Amino acid sequence: MSLRWSPKATHTLSVIGLSALLMASAMKHFRTPSFYNPVVPEYLCRNDEPGGAPNGPLAVMSREEWIASSGLLEVTAAVGLLIPATRKVAADGTTAMFAAFLAGHIDALRRAYGPYGSQKERRIHTLRLPLQIPLILWSWSLRK
């Protein structure tokens, strides 16, 4: 008996793989939110401290709220990918989410190479930014 591998099986395995990765990342948002602190741009973070810098027009949530919200988005995307009826919409949304995350990774890289960035931050963010491209392409490929 030969085992035949079909394109559908490959697609299903790919969906499960990205879904698992998204779920693991989402759980990390809640277990270790500080891991994501550097990739939330300052211009998105509301400043609630008295006498602090004024909030910009995009500063609608605190850093912690942005991290929790993105974790919830990842859970939603992970579940949506697993349901055939919502897979295309979830894949589109996941692609858009990863593309939007590019802004945070670019901002983190900019700060890492700024006057207060460390060598460790430079290494981490130099490696983290290019990882977004395969994630964007992977999620886009699941639209079928």
Side-chain angles (χ1 to χ4, degrees):
M1 176 194 226
S2 69
L3 181 63
R4 294 176 35 122
W5 198 258
S6 70
K8 184 176 180 182
T10 301
H11 183 74
T12 300
L13 204 60
S14 187
V15 166
I16 292 168
L18 185 56
S19 182
L21 182 71
L22 285 165
M23 193 59 79
S25 177
M27 294 305 104
K28 189 166 182 70
H29 278 76
F30 299 105
R31 285 192 201 119
T32 319
S34 62
F35 177 79
Y36 296 97
N37 281 347
V39 293
V40 180
E42 285 295 323
Y43 59 81
L44 290 179
C45 299
R46 187 181 63 230
N47 186 351
D48 293 334
E49 294 184 24
N55 295 317
L58 298 176
V60 295
M61 293 189 279
S62 69
R63 183 175 311 279
E64 295 77 18
E65 291 167 336
W66 279 111
I67 292 169
S69 296
S70 61
L72 289 173
L73 278 174
E74 288 182 348
V75 167
T76 304
V79 172
L81 287 171
L82 293 174
I83 302 168
T86 60
R87 185 167 297 147
K88 186 179 183 317
V89 171
D92 287 342
T94 304
T95 302
M97 178 182 71
F98 285 143
F101 287 173
L102 276 172
H105 288 285
I106 290 168
D107 188 63
L109 186 65
R110 180 192 59 80
R111 282 183 280 114
Y113 280 90
Y116 303 109
S118 68
Q119 192 63 26
K120 180 182 176 185
E121 289 170 327
R122 289 182 187 118
R123 271 192 313 273
I124 289 169
H125 296 297
T126 299
L127 293 172
R128 250 176 126 170
L129 176 62
L131 289 175
Q132 291 302 112
I133 301 305
L135 290 171
I136 290 168
L137 295 174
W138 187 6
S139 61
W140 183 257
S141 76
L142 301 180
R143 299 176 73 244
K144 303 176 199 149

